[in-house]
Amino acid sequence: MNTMMMSIYERTREIGIMKVIGASINNIRTIFLIEAGIIGLVGGVVGLMIGWISAQFLNVLANLLLKSEESMIIVDVPWWLGLFVILFSTAVGVLSGLYPALRAAKLSALDAIRHN
């Protein structure tokens, strides 16, 4: 949410210009919600990759320490959990971007263009 609020403050003039050239409130809201969703999606994918790599590292480390003859899987990340992580992080991104998107859509075009 903080990232999206800062994005609005940094792009206030752009929002004003979009409104002047005819962008509707829905267009501006959609732009910011898509941006928030993409930030959440990327965060989820990166988090999933870090988790999966950590799980593989723990499996290798556990097998080295146990010195068993057959390879064991100690930590497993099922596909459905990975899918849930990505969907959940995207949903959290969109929900946290909802207030900033509504705020951006309500900005006055003239005030936004005058903003330094």
Side-chain angles (χ1 to χ4, degrees):
M1 187 172 195
N2 185 40
T3 302
M4 293 307 299
M5 289 300 290
M6 291 309 298
S7 177
I8 289 171
Y9 287 129
E10 291 172 356
R11 295 173 24 192
T12 301
R13 292 187 82 163
E14 292 175 32
I15 295 168
I17 292 171
M18 284 190 277
K19 284 190 163 199
V20 168
I21 62 172
S24 69
I25 292 173
N26 287 335
N27 295 130
I28 294 170
R29 186 180 334 122
T30 303
I31 288 169
F32 280 95
L33 287 177
I34 289 172
E35 184 178 334
I38 289 172
I39 290 171
L41 176 70
V42 169
V45 169
V46 169
L48 182 63
M49 288 173 34
I50 291 171
W52 186 81
I53 290 169
S54 299
Q56 298 307 312
F57 176 74
L58 287 173
N59 285 333
V60 169
L61 184 65
N63 283 313
L64 288 175
L65 292 175
L66 295 175
K67 296 181 183 176
S68 65
E69 292 179 13
E70 97 181 43
S71 179
M72 294 187 307
I73 296 176
I74 307 294
V75 180
D76 186 28
V77 180
W79 67 268
W80 55 266
L81 182 61
L83 180 64
F84 176 76
V85 165
I86 291 172
L87 292 175
F88 183 75
S89 64
T90 303
V92 167
V94 170
L95 287 175
S96 66
L98 192 58
Y99 174 72
L102 293 173
R103 186 161 183 209
K106 290 180 182 178
L107 282 175
S108 165
L110 293 176
D111 291 338
I113 291 174
R114 287 185 200 151
H115 181 75
N116 264 336

